Every structure is written in C-alpha cells, then in structure tokens.
Amino acid sequence: MTPLVLALLAGAAAGLSLGALGAGGSILTVPALIYLLGFTPAAATTASLVVVIVTSVTALVAHARAGAVRWRAGLLFAAAGLLPAAAAGALSARVPEAVLTLVFAALAALAGLHMLRRRAPREGGTVSGVRAAGAGAGLGAVTGFLGVGGGFLAVPALVTVLAVPMGAAVGTSLLVVMANALVALAARAYTAVHLDLTLLLPFLATAVLGAWDGRRLAAKVSAATLRRVFGSVLLAVAVAMGATALL
C-alpha cells in the first residue's frame, strides 16, 4: 500500500473508535503515524494533537446541538489542566524518543484494559474542588505530554468528580480535551518538529468522516463488543510499541 492509502485507512480507524466509543482515537493515531507513516515519536504526538483538536471540535458541535454539553463544569475542569498541558507539551520535545514510546505504550495498555473491563461510572458523587483540580491537572498533563485526548480518562472523571450525568459526560469531555490539546499544541509551536502535511491532512479528513460513521456503528453493534475489539487492538499496539522501544 502507498503511504497515502495507509494514511486514509489509519485515519478512518482512529475516527471510527472516537465516534463509536468517545475514546481511543488519538491512542490509535500516534502508533499509526509512527509505524505506518514514518513519523518520529515527537512528530506523531504533535500531529496527534492536531487530529484531536479537529475531531473534538467536530464532535463537540454535534453534542452541543443536542444539548449534551455542561459548559460550566467542562470549562472548570479544563482550566485546571491548562498549565500542566502547556508544561508537559514543552517537556515532551526534550524527552528521548525511546522513553516517550515506552510511556505511550504503558498508556495504551491502560486504555486497552480499561475498555476490556469498563463499567459505567457511578453518578452523583460528592464534588470536591481539590479532587476536581487534581483530575483536571492530571488529564492536562497526559494530553500535553503524549498528544492524546484522554477521553477514556475524562468521561469517568467528569462523572465521579464533577457529578456530570453520563448523558452529558462524553460531550463535556470533548470540550476539556479540545482545550487541553490547543494549549499543548501552542506549547510545541516553537519546537523543531516537521509534520508531513501530505499525509497528515488525508489522515485528518478520514478521521473526521470515520467519527461520524462510528456514531452510526455504535447504534448497530453493542458497546461491549466494540470495547472488546478496540481494547484488544490497543493491547496489541502497546505490546508492539514496548517491544520496539526496548529492542
């Protein structure tokens, strides 16, 4: 396959995950950019932020039209993560590529296990300002350092920490993810990272289309089946990335 075809297919797969599950798209994006399209780990995590921003905005508009976004809660949660996202984004460019790959592999494994063992978070917990700030800061740091949206972390955090109903948690998490990704990308603006736009733009286009198809797929296939499939893929990706970094 040519690099262009690989970019189109990989983007569609990442978007499909995001649209069907509200998570996992960016965690598939980074390894796809590295192993299929030849991006360096630093370039892949930066390019992933671009993908996260565009796909999050697209999905956020749809959720906002449906009234499924808690703007105040989302902005408060995002505010706690802005500085950590900026700091982690700047730090990421100075970390050896092997270390960056290993850390990302660990996060991919965590995300895969989370999808395989996922349970619906309990709603209506006691809201703690300290816990909310800590959760928001942690999510911002993950987004900035690894270039991932962190939807699989944001949704349960919003439900359990800020008592956002499940029906609005996915839409609200998109607001948080978008804000963190914008700050993290700005922090990397002056790093010497080359992004191959001839491959990134086709990837981005099919990711957006895949996200819409994922929403339709979610209506036809059970959520448990989708989580098992994508969880297994993420675990395989984590093992491959970890082995590559260590060998």
Side-chain angles (χ1 to χ4, degrees), residues 24-127:
S26 54
I27 295 183
L28 291 175
T29 294
V30 172
L33 291 174
I34 294 173
Y35 298 111
L36 297 181
L37 304 182
F39 282 54
T40 65
T45 53
T46 299
S48 177
L49 288 170
V50 177
V51 175
V52 166
I53 291 167
V54 175
T55 53
S56 294
V57 169
T58 303
L60 179 61
V61 170
H63 282 274
R65 287 177 176 173
V69 179
R70 295 295 178 90
W71 295 98
R72 184 175 181 274
L75 290 173
L76 287 173
F77 196 85
L82 295 184
L83 287 179
L91 175 64
S92 177
R94 297 173 172 80
V95 174
E97 292 187 352
V99 174
L100 196 62
T101 302
L102 281 173
V103 174
F104 191 93
L107 183 68
L110 177 63
L113 290 172
H114 174 79
M115 286 189 177
L116 291 174
R117 302 176 59 185
R118 183 175 178 181
R119 299 290 185 273
R122 294 180 180 178
E123 299 182 20
T126 302
V127 179

Side-chain angles (χ1 to χ4, degrees), residues 126-226:
T126 302
V127 179
S128 164
V130 174
R131 289 180 62 199
L139 181 63
V142 169
T143 301
F145 191 70
L146 295 176
V148 300
F152 74 101
L153 295 172
V155 171
L158 285 167
V159 172
T160 58
V161 178
L162 291 186
V164 175
M166 273 299 297
V170 172
T172 306
S173 75
L174 291 168
L175 174 63
V176 177
V177 164
M178 180 189 67
N180 287 335
L182 280 168
V183 172
L185 185 62
R188 299 181 184 212
Y190 298 103
T191 60
V193 174
H194 171 70
L195 300 182
D196 187 347
L197 295 181
T198 61
L199 295 177
L200 179 58
L201 292 179
F203 186 105
L204 183 58
T206 53
V208 172
L209 294 175
W212 287 103
D213 288 337
R215 293 181 64 192
R216 290 194 289 268
L217 179 64
K220 298 178 181 178
V221 182
S222 72
T225 299
L226 289 171

